[in-house]
């Protein structure tokens, strides 16, 4: 098992990519802290995931908290320490992408997106890193960034800078935290069918277009991203830091 004896915190783990990653980390032997929004729906989904994980003999607990709140990272670390006594891996996954045009972007949509996807993440990464430093045995931090860190989207002008920001945060943190043996990497998913783009991809033309642009011939599923996250979290990636791994079925390189 790739993550035996490791405690992994994953934000936004109640559904989508985060849920698949949490399940796979638990299958690989990790003790998992399921971060979720703290809403009724988030709590319910997190509890059902704990049941799923327990059913195959894994260990998991849940901690609710708004990803945009700079204190949520401390809450997640405290939850991990209370339940499992350590933090070895932190996966920053929670995010939103309310599609909207640029010229009339409401300030509150822009600010909510940046606070949820990037500002809260900064302080959560900082909280996890301080705990790993105090433990003195290194660790791994993974940001779920996006192909959108590298390319634009006309309806994503508020979103793509947050993904570029996370990608850049991991690069800088790789330098800042390397001396403590803490590795920092990002995964860059392409288009993965989840709730975040359900409405956008309900447009059949858009769905067909995105599928046709993907050399592997299909959109991604949350489980497609879970494996790369486990790899970066594991000691198999012990000399990998400051890297970013595209998980996009070849979408990025498909110019023509
Ligand atoms: N689905 C896709 O095509 C892609 C997704 N991503 C990124 O993957 C990450 C996960 O998204 P998906 O699983 O696709 O979507 P999703 O909508 O299924 O999951 C998002 C998760 O973030 C949580 N979340 C949202 N706002 C929150 C808040 N304020 N506080 C706490 N939790 C909050 C949600 O509860 C949910 O668990 C996001 O960061 C997204 O930007 C990146 C590239 C492509
Ligand atoms: C939500 C989008 O469908 C998805 O999110 C990303 O980060 C990719 O750019 C996709 O467009």
């Amino acid at each position: 098992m790739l993550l035996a004896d490791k405690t992994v915190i994953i934000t936004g783990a109640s559904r989508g990519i985060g849920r698949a990653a949490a399940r796979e980390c638990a299958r690989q032997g990790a003790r998992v802290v399921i971060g979720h929004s703290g809403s009724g729906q988030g709590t319910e989904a997190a509890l059902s995931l704990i049941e799923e994980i327990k059913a195959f003999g894994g260990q998991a607990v849940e901690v609710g908290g708004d990803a945009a709140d700079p204190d949520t990272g401390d809450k997640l670390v405290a939850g991990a320490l209370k339940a499992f006594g350590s933090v070895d891996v932190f996966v920053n996954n929670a995010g939103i992408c309310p599609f909207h045009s640029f010229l009339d972007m409401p300030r509150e949509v822009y600010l909510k997106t940046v606070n949820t996807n990037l500002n809260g993440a900064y302080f959560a990464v900082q909280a996890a890193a301080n705990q790993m430093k105090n433990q003195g045995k290194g660790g791994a931090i993974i940001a779920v960034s996006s192909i959108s860190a590298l390319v634009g989207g006309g309806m994503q002008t508020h979103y793509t800078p947050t993904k570029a920001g996370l990608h850049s945060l991991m690069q800088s943190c790789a330098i800042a935290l390397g001396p403590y043996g803490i590795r920092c990497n990002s995964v860059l998913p392409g288009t993965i069918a989840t709730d975040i783009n359900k409405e956008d991809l309900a447009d059949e033309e858009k769905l067909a277009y995105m599928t046709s642009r993907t050399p592997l011939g299909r959109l991604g599923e949350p489980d497609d991203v879970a494996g790369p996250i486990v790899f970066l979290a594991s000691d198999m990636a012990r000399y990998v830091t400051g890297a970013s791994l595209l998980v996009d079925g070849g979408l990025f390189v498909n110019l023509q």
Side-chain angles (χ1 to χ4, degrees):
M1 288 204 279
L2 290 174
L3 301 177
D5 282 334
K6 292 190 194 292
T7 301
V8 178
I9 300 174
I10 306 182
T11 67
S14 63
R15 61 173 205 250
I17 293 169
R19 188 179 182 103
R23 199 189 296 114
E24 192 52 36
C25 285
R27 273 211 192 95
Q28 294 294 338
R31 304 172 287 258
V32 178
V33 177
I34 299 165
H36 62 88
S37 64
S39 69
Q41 236 181 2
T43 308
E44 209 174 295
L47 291 174
S48 84
L49 179 56
I50 291 176
E51 288 314 306
E52 248 185 80
I53 288 173
K54 282 190 175 158
F56 60 75
Q59 299 179 68
V61 295
E62 52 83 25
V63 175
D66 185 353
D69 181 344
D71 291 332
T72 293
D74 292 322
K75 252 179 103 175
L76 289 163
V77 168
L81 294 183
K82 186 172 171 213
F84 303 128
S86 69
V87 176
D88 304 296
V89 177
F90 179 73
V91 182
N92 194 89
N93 167 74
I96 56 172
C97 182
F99 286 75
H100 205 289
S101 45
F102 174 63
L103 292 174
D104 57 349
M105 176 69 68
R107 282 186 184 175
E108 58 274 21
V109 174
Y110 173 79
L111 292 171
K112 185 174 179 192
T113 305
V114 175
N115 285 332
T116 304
N117 294 6
L118 183 60
N119 293 339
Y122 184 96
F123 294 107
V125 167
Q126 188 187 49
N130 272 305
Q131 178 57 32
M132 291 173 189
K133 177 191 162 232
N134 293 340
Q135 290 170 189
K137 55 185 174 89
I141 299 176
I142 298 147
V144 179
S145 170
S146 171
I147 189 174
S148 299
L150 310 177
V151 289
M155 297 291 278
Q156 294 176 307
T157 58
H158 50 329
Y159 172 78
T160 60
T162 68
K163 293 292 150 177
L166 285 172
H167 171 57
S168 171
L169 178 63
M170 288 300 98
Q171 291 181 325
S172 290
C173 283
I175 303 166
L177 301 174
Y180 304 104
I182 303 170
R183 300 181 294 103
C184 300
N185 296 291
S186 54
V187 290
L188 314 184
T191 298
I192 313 296
T194 67
D195 286 350
I196 207 171
N197 49 27
K198 206 172 186 171
E199 222 177 286
D200 186 49
L201 298 175
D203 174 349
E204 284 186 13
E205 251 178 60
K206 173 94 185 257
L207 175 63
Y209 173 69
M210 293 312 296
T211 307
S212 73
R213 288 208 49 196
T214 307
L216 289 183
R218 63 170 177 87
L219 297 190
E221 296 164 5
D223 280 336
D224 294 324
V225 189
I229 289 174
V230 166
F231 164 68
L232 290 171
S234 77
D235 296 340
M236 297 278 281
R238 62 184 177 269
Y239 199 56
V240 181
T241 194
S244 50
L245 180 49
L246 273 163
V247 187
D248 68 345
L251 181 60
F252 180 72
V253 296
N254 189 15
L255 180 60
Q256 53 185 313

